[in-house]
Amino acid sequence: MKIAVCLKRVPDTTAKIVVGGDGKSIDESGVKFVPNPYDEYALEAAIALKEKAGAGETVVVALGTDAAQETIRTALAMGIDRGVLLQSPGSADGFEVAKAIAAELKGQGYDLILFGKMAVDDYNHQVGVMVAELLELPCVSAVSALTVEGGALTAEREIEGGVEQLACQLPAVVTADKGINTPRLPSLKGIMAAKKKPLETKPVSLGAGSITVTSLALPPERQAGKIVGEGPDAVPALVQLLRTEAKVI
Amino acid sequence: MPVGTATSQFTGVDFYHLDSVLSEEERAIRDTVRAWVDEHLMPVIGDCYIQGKFPKQLIPGMAELGVLGANLPEEYGCAGLNNVAYGLIMQELERGDSGIRSFASVQGALVMYPIYAFGSDEQKKKWLPSLAKGTDIGCFGLTEPDFGSNPGGMITTAKETKDGWVLNGTKMWITNGSQATVAVVWAKTGAVDDAKSIRGFIVPTDTKGFTGKDQKGKLSLRASDTAELHLEDVHLPKDAVLPKSGGLKSPLLCLTQARYGISWGAIGAAMACYDEAVRYAKNRIMFGKPIGATQIQQVRLADMLTEITKAQLLSLQLGRMKDAGTMTPQHVSMAKRNNVNMATECAREARRLLGANGILAEYHSMRHMANLESVYTYEGTHDMHSLILGQEITGIAAY
Ligand SMILES: Cc1cc2nc3c(=O)[nH]c(=O)nc-3n(C[C@H](O)[C@H](O)[C@H](O)COP(=O)(O)OP(=O)(O)OC[C@H]3O[C@@H](n4cnc5c(N)ncnc54)[C@H](O)[C@@H]3O)c2cc1C
């Protein structure tokens, strides 16, 4: 089985974000970057599937700047076999990114193409499903359980108030949700071995696209809370404030 | 937020941009061990400490990660890392707890290293892979009840017989001593005043006459196993001796390895305390403002940050020297002495900054503070390292 995992380099979710001087991008200086956490689920799924099958190839594909090589090497350290970097500064238009990734994946004989359900830096939820469409493959998005057997997959999705089970033939595209697995830490030997695994870089140029970011702002700082009193005596005052000030009831 | 592998609450200290002189692999290794400590050690360490119990269940995970004997060669199942990466591993483990770092130090630097450095090919092949996998656990028996800072005075003996060796003696304060499956024991093969006759022996702990007894009543390193070893007519085969060991310098070479790691480990403990102190100083409101807005607490934090940064510079350069083969035991003494002392001061100041909360196991500073008192004493007391440096400076031994 040949599996591709698409991976994005994103700021660490615990990093303190500063908006850059242009008001449209984040200031990357001093920010730690990590593999997109949802993509880590996809990486783990790919490695576990190959381990279970005892054979096959896993390939990680990232679109990003040269700095994303480090992110790819994290995937290689976890156990992915080889990496491809599509060198590009990226685009706010997910469709442009999807086209470049689809072009890379097309005709390579992948049985399964995995994504995270979204990237935590832009929350777009787009690229995986668009790639599926461009490759004319079935796509199951936001998968929380996955099994592959005999050229087909079964997947579960957590939907409002329940679980949905789906099945489809391979080749297919799957985007991973949390709950699907617990991503492994790379071993120290894996980190050293990652240096020796193949990492191909290919410059790509994205189209202009039809979407632009016009501004980026941090959420307003949270206001200090108010203590209206203690015990049952405080209830009327609290209800009053929830009505008049917070306007939530 | 999903729990990513590289995300972590603890942020570490890098005021002087030392990350920029670490390689990508060195940083990745540090971050991986940091994430492991966050996921596996931090949730259990408080309870382990209170119960006085080493978290044994973590050994397979540590081994799988590859932290045991991480700077020894791959042919023995080790990770083959350079010494800076190895140091960063010690730093991250001790950020969690000195006890877990002690376990790794003993296994790697005091058990695997002597087998690697002084052992025969057969001994290396027999023991190193299982020690790296954590299926064997090792301990290092040098100190005796009456010989601590002066191990050359030891009275444990190894008498050669026609088919092997017979060991007799008592070893004290032995880390991993009650859970070990194998002990590296140092004993005199000649006269009791002949330190040159000291040799190392590989002793499986199920050998008749060998017993390990838990040291009770510790107020420090409570999450570490410390034991007293008794050897009563312990019969060993001829090939139990480490063939290339000879004289006090052999165990001292092991200690140099371990002390090197401890110099890094202490930085980890200090960082944990600093991190906790900074968060607390910003959040704790007293007299209507954060305590971090007061000059006294700012001085505390400024001192901690400065001392941690100086210690980082010492250990990093020491590591580069170790990799280049230019490091001497005296260089290691300076870093062990300075960094452990620095960490004990940081832990104490952090504990004080935290007020009453600082005495709880829920916070980390007091646990580190108590642990570091052991680290201050073992692997050559602070005083002994002063004297080693004094001898280096003056040419006169004062001990
Ligand atoms: C938790 C823990 C774990 C340990 N693990 C191990 C282990 O795994 N294996 C092992 O072999 N040992 C181990 N040790 C033992 C440790 O190395 C010794 O405790 C240490 O060497 C000091 O010896 P001592 O306790 O006998 O103190 P002593 O040597 O009696 O020293 C007492 C005091 O006198 C000072 N002093 C001694 N000599 C001089 C001098 N000439 N001039 C000035 N001051 C002096 C010392 O600095 C110290 O302050 C461990 C100890 C502890 C606490």
Side-chain angles (χ1 to χ4, degrees), chain B residues 256-257 260 318-319 321-332:
Chain B
T256 298
Q257 304 299 315
Y260 165 76
L318 188 67
M321 284 158 69
K322 190 169 192 303
D323 280 330
T326 55
M327 179 189 90
T328 67
Q330 291 77 15
H331 292 136
V332 180

Side-chain angles (χ1 to χ4, degrees), chain B residues 229-278:
Chain B
L229 309 181
H230 291 282
L231 297 102
E232 202 183 324
D233 289 331
V234 172
H235 286 260
L236 298 171
K238 271 203 169 351
D239 63 2
V241 68
L242 291 169
K244 283 174 258 172
S245 68
L248 188 61
K249 69 174 189 305
S250 299
L252 291 185
L253 263 170
C254 304
L255 294 176
T256 298
Q257 304 299 315
R259 289 165 181 172
Y260 165 76
I262 290 169
S263 88
W264 284 92
I267 298 171
M271 281 182 183
C273 297
Y274 172 76
D275 186 64
E276 182 164 89
V278 171

Side-chain angles (χ1 to χ4, degrees), chain B residues 106 110 140-145 147-150 172-175 218 221 226 374 377-384 387 398-399:
Chain B
V106 168
L110 296 181
F140 174 89
L142 178 68
T143 305
E144 298 184 1
F147 299 93
S149 297
N150 175 23
M172 186 81 177
W173 302 111
I174 307 307
T175 303
K218 281 186 299 170
L221 276 191
T226 314
S374 286
T377 291
Y378 71 27
E379 293 280 348
T381 66
H382 183 83
D383 298 336
M384 289 313 295
L387 301 182
Y399 53 91

Side-chain angles (χ1 to χ4, degrees), chain B residues 277-299 301 353-354:
Chain B
V278 171
R279 286 172 206 271
Y280 200 86
K282 286 185 184 166
N283 290 321
R284 176 69 175 166
I285 310 289
M286 200 48 57
F287 294 101
K289 61 180 181 190
I291 58 169
T294 67
Q295 292 185 354
I296 290 182
Q297 308 315 330
Q298 289 190 2
V299 171
L301 296 173
L353 183 147
L354 265 65

